[in-house]
Amino acid sequence: MEPPIAGMPGCRVAWKRHGATTLVLVVASKRATARCPACGRRSRAVHSTYVRRPTDLPRVGQPVGLEVHVRRFFCRRAACARRTFAEPWPFLAPHARRTTRLATAQCTVATAANAETGARVLARLAMPASPDTLLRLVRRAPLPTPTAPRVVGIDDWAMHKGTRYGSIVVDLDAHRVVDVLPDRTAPTVAAWLARHPGVTTVARDRSPEYARATTLGAPHAQQVADRWHLLHNAQQMAERWLTGIHPRLRALPPTETAPKGDDDGAVRDRPFDRTRGEAVAREESRSCRLAAYTEVRRRRAAGESMLGISRGLGLARGTVRKYADAASFPERAARAPEPSLLDPYLPHLATRHRAGCTNGHALWREIRAMGYGGTHSQVLRWLNQRRREPAPSTAHAWRPTGSMPREVRPDALPSPRQLAWACVRAEGRRTKSERANVTRIVQDAEAARGVALVERFVAIVRGRCVTHGARPIARCGAIDRWLADAGRCDIPSVQTFAAGLLQDGDALRAALTTTWSNAQAEGQITRLKLVKRQMYGRANFDLLRRRVLLAV
């Protein structure tokens, strides 16, 4: 007889044999008695014996099968409802075709990867299982025992972006997911908080649903607004405000510190000229946007709500709000040039152009010999932007009288979104171009007041105080003074933003005086999205929740 097998107490290997590809161990029990599962009385009377053939963990890369000789015993107790029973095996569940430890290992692989990938990995590890079997193992696996959280972070995640959303609850002390909820409504979140009375702090974004849920489910808990969301909301507010006055800001002259384009063409300061078809498509797109803008303004003047206009025209609510707040049609800002295959060869082209070479195909052949892999069309576009006179090959019918006027490109102002991010970004981290653009727009009196308020708010949030004593009080005093100044300004977007912050004043002050934030929840949502994409978006909510909780 061989010694007992590790992980199989009370058992011994009677003998073993090698199959074609599998090592088979014949296992028998060392116990002379067994306990009845119904009445708990031990019995020695053997009724019969039968064989079970489950699969166990592999050994030295070879699959292992078991032949377990199971004895059935008589129960001699007259009052017991059972006459016979099979002896229990601690490593083998009833009717199971695999040992408990093998099922645990397969479930672990299926939890870390999706079922299809897990099946391919397990086949190489000599623990083969089908994808459907792995899904059954994941669904049957017991969830981890939840702990009583004290500080939680709550945020939403998209099941189907723009349509269905769920909520995730993260224990900020233990750095782990506590639960995943099927929606982001106040009743669902409030019910969860009511089942966990030990929660004392809730970190959240500025969603009114989560604020109301915390007030209903945990009225004693301290609410903490997430600082990143505060800065993001400030950027959104600045973008809405700048969209309305962007046409006026475009008319402002550039400052002396504005970066100048490279006139010799060694560095591109604008995109390549578009083709005639692209120009026509751009004009058609502008006409559609202009028609939508006109209709939104007409409906808004007639008293329709933003939501009604959005549903009636099929536009996003953000677009409707942008059009409603804009005094004139918001033209699209000029985009920065995107990287091109031609960029590394621009210095050579500029040098040859100054030397008098205006033959596009000749220039293309030169840089092609240097390693350029693009077509000659990009070279011709670059050259046409710098021609002072027609090319020699131009037909006489198409030659203009006199010299070709060089295009004078006005200094373009970035889009409202880019300007808003420049205002929110710390002054020391702004690029030279961003500093020049901010200096340019503050020539407008309203823009100067708005940018100053945005910069003050960003400085208060970034320079939060987390020590005890008088400094937190001073920090709260600074935000109170900012709220008062923003409420008195003549910028509607800033006033609306300040009014919303005033309603959420306790959570705002907690964000400035405590260390808690929703950063962990954002990171766990990133991991949840990875798990969701591993299943190609086909998993229902129950399976997705199990995988997220089991992967902790």
Side-chain angles (χ1 to χ4, degrees):
M1 293 293 180
E2 295 189 5
I5 304 176
M8 297 182 181
C11 304
R12 60 187 176 185
V13 178
W15 65 84
K16 55 186 173 184
R17 65 175 182 271
H18 290 271
T21 58
T22 305
L23 174 64
V24 181
L25 303 180
V26 181
V27 181
S29 176
K30 296 192 301 183
R31 298 184 178 93
T33 64
R35 190 183 299 276
C36 177
C39 65
R41 182 177 180 179
R42 287 193 171 274
S43 175
R44 290 177 174 272
V46 178
H47 173 272
S48 58
T49 303
Y50 63 93
V51 177
R52 294 178 62 181
R53 294 181 173 84
T55 307
D56 195 19
L57 288 174
R59 182 179 181 182
V60 197
Q62 185 178 16
V64 174
L66 301 180
E67 282 191 7
V68 182
H69 291 254
V70 183
R71 295 171 296 177
R72 181 171 289 275
F73 290 82
F74 286 103
C75 182
R76 299 302 189 184
R77 189 173 183 178
C80 183
R82 303 191 66 166
R83 291 292 175 260
T84 62
F85 63 91
E87 60 180 330
W89 294 82
F91 61 88
L92 192 60
H95 311 291
R97 300 301 300 271
R98 56 182 51 81
T99 60
T100 304
R101 58 185 184 180
L102 175 60
T104 302
Q106 292 174 336
C107 182
T108 302
V109 174
T111 302
N114 57 59
E116 296 289 343
T117 304
R120 293 193 293 268
V121 171
L122 288 170
R124 293 178 174 269
L125 298 178
M127 296 184 290
S130 67
D132 291 337
T133 298
L134 295 180
L135 289 179
R136 285 195 296 269
L137 292 175
V138 172
R139 291 186 184 277
R140 294 173 184 173
L143 295 178
T145 303
T147 58
R150 184 181 61 90
V151 182
V152 299
I154 302 177
D155 207 346
D156 58 349
W157 56 277
M159 299 181 191
H160 188 277
K161 191 172 183 180
T163 305
R164 292 185 300 141
Y165 289 85
S167 298
I168 189 170
V169 185
V170 180
D171 187 343
L172 301 184
D173 278 329
H175 298 261
R176 61 184 298 272
V177 178
V178 179
D179 206 347
V180 181
L181 306 180
D183 57 55
R184 58 177 178 179
T185 59
T188 300
V189 180
W192 188 93
L193 291 172
R195 294 193 301 269
H196 298 79
V199 175
T200 59
T201 305
V202 177
R204 56 170 178 81
D205 57 16
R206 296 191 57 240
S207 168
E209 283 291 305
Y210 289 148
R212 186 161 64 92
T214 307
T215 303
L216 294 175
H220 60 281
Q222 181 187 38
Q223 301 186 37
V224 182
D226 183 60
R227 289 180 289 275
W228 183 88
H229 284 90
L230 289 173
L231 297 177
H232 184 54
N233 294 150
Q235 182 270 333
Q236 291 174 324
M237 175 272 295
E239 182 181 349
R240 290 195 299 270
W241 160 58
L242 291 171
T243 298
I245 64 173
H246 198 258
R248 190 172 76 228
L249 298 179
R250 283 184 175 181
L252 295 173
T255 60
E256 295 182 0
T257 57
K260 301 298 182 181
D262 192 349
D263 292 337
D264 64 359
V267 178
R268 286 193 306 124
D269 60 346
R270 55 174 168 165
F272 291 110
D273 291 339
R274 301 294 91 186
T275 63
R276 183 176 302 177
E278 291 171 338
V280 171
R282 181 171 53 192
E283 287 301 321
E284 292 178 353
S285 175
R286 182 186 181 278
S287 300
C288 293
R289 289 186 284 109
L290 179 59
Y293 166 78
T294 305
E295 184 65 16
V296 168
R297 298 283 294 184
R298 184 189 68 79
R299 293 195 179 198
R300 189 59 178 165
E304 289 191 38
S305 65
M306 297 280 193
L307 184 59
I309 298 175
S310 173
R311 291 174 176 174
L313 298 180
L315 298 175
R317 279 178 288 180
T319 303
V320 173
R321 180 180 297 171
K322 178 179 70 174
Y323 286 166
D325 293 341
S328 60
F329 176 62
E331 298 282 359
R332 287 183 174 173
R335 294 185 177 181
E338 297 180 355
S340 171
L341 292 176
L342 194 63
D343 290 344
Y345 308 95
L346 290 180
H348 175 78
L349 294 176
T351 302
R352 297 285 291 123
H353 185 262
R354 287 194 300 268
C357 180
T358 59
N359 189 318
H361 284 79
L363 293 174
W364 171 65
R365 284 191 291 269
E366 290 179 9
I367 63 174
R368 186 179 62 176
M370 299 169 59
Y372 175 66
T375 62
H376 67 279
S377 59
Q378 291 292 77
V379 180
L380 295 179
R381 288 181 178 182
W382 175 87
L383 188 60
N384 287 334
Q385 292 176 345
R386 288 156 183 81
R387 287 193 184 278
R388 299 292 185 89
E389 57 185 16
S393 59
T394 304
H396 289 281
W398 297 101
R399 289 177 175 269
T401 58
S403 62
M404 297 175 59
R406 180 165 184 174
E407 178 187 0
V408 179
R409 179 173 178 264
D411 294 276
L413 189 68
S415 65
R417 175 171 295 182
Q418 293 171 328
L419 289 176
W421 278 118
C423 294
V424 172
R425 189 170 288 114
E427 186 173 359
R429 300 183 61 183
R430 291 174 182 167
T431 64
K432 183 179 179 181
S433 176
E434 289 174 341
R435 289 194 298 269
N437 291 323
V438 173
T439 305
R440 177 180 177 182
I441 65 175
V442 296
Q443 297 178 95
D444 183 86
E446 178 184 340
R449 294 192 301 273
V451 170
L453 286 171
V454 171
E455 290 178 341
R456 275 181 57 193
F457 179 78
V458 172
I460 293 172
V461 175
R462 291 185 184 276
R464 66 188 184 280
C465 180
V466 296
T467 59
H468 297 286
R471 292 184 63 190
I473 299 177
R475 184 62 60 187
C476 292
I479 194 61
D480 290 338
R481 289 191 295 272
W482 185 91
L483 291 173
D485 294 342
R488 289 192 299 266
C489 75
D490 56 350
I491 304 176
S493 297
V494 178
Q495 291 176 332
T496 303
F497 179 61
L501 291 177
L502 195 60
Q503 293 178 355
D504 209 13
D506 293 338
L508 173 61
R509 293 178 181 87
L512 301 178
T513 56
T514 64
T515 58
W516 302 115
S517 71
N518 233 21
Q520 288 188 46
E522 297 290 349
Q524 295 291 352
I525 289 174
T526 301
R527 188 168 66 89
L528 183 147
K529 291 178 179 178
L530 173 62
V531 174
K532 179 172 174 285
R533 287 166 182 156
Q534 282 180 337
M535 296 183 285
Y536 304 98
R538 294 183 176 182
N540 57 20
F541 172 77
D542 176 66
L543 182 58
L544 180 61
R545 176 176 178 270
R546 279 184 161 273
R547 283 198 59 189
V548 171
L549 296 180
L550 289 172
V552 174

